Amino acid sequence: MRGLKDRERFIGIWALDTLLYLDRLDLYYVLNKFYQVLVEKGLLYLSFRFGEEDYFKEGRWNTCFTEKELIDLVGFTDFDILEMSNKDDYINVILKK
């Protein structure tokens, strides 16, 4: 994600289980970077573990979200939430630029 250049443009980004190992500050940075490289009306799909507490397991940090926490995080960006679901211990969200 650090390698994304501002001149690159994407219609959509699919981040299934790829960001859940980042802490919340890094997530904020990455979401804003994704916003920069998406075309107007571009879509971003995110998936996180559902839960109220983050944890460390098998040498990796796991960031968990409730619906409210994820809405709050997205609220610090310019994305709009199109859809959110909570299924099988995962919270999924589709964002639109």
Side-chain angles (χ1 to χ4, degrees):
M1 287 163 265
R2 289 185 179 124
L4 287 175
K5 306 293 185 229
D6 291 340
R7 68 181 181 275
E8 295 178 288
R9 293 290 176 251
F10 299 91
I11 296 169
I13 298 172
W14 183 272
L16 175 66
D17 294 346
T18 56
L19 302 179
L20 57 93
Y21 303 112
L22 300 177
D23 66 35
R24 291 169 193 265
L25 183 58
D26 287 338
L27 284 170
Y28 171 76
Y29 168 79
V30 169
L31 289 181
N32 282 299
K33 187 66 168 179
F34 284 162
Y35 190 87
Q36 291 173 359
V37 299
L38 281 170
V39 298
E40 195 60 35
K41 299 184 182 180
L43 300 177
L44 171 61
Y45 169 82
L46 302 171
S47 175
F48 296 98
R49 295 190 199 287
F50 180 80
E52 295 185 10
E53 292 192 29
D54 302 338
Y55 61 93
F56 194 77
K57 181 179 180 183
E58 297 176 7
R60 293 172 89 158
W61 184 254
N62 288 263
T63 301
C64 301
F65 284 96
T66 64
E67 287 94 346
K68 182 187 179 320
E69 290 172 327
L70 194 50
I71 289 168
D72 289 346
L73 175 68
V74 173
F76 286 107
T77 72
D78 291 326
F79 280 108
D80 294 318
I81 296 174
L82 289 183
E83 187 176 320
M84 184 180 294
S85 67
N86 180 355
K87 185 177 179 184
D88 299 327
D89 295 326
Y90 280 86
I91 187 165
N92 306 288
V93 64
I94 299 174
L95 306 177
K96 182 178 179 183
K97 179 174 180 177

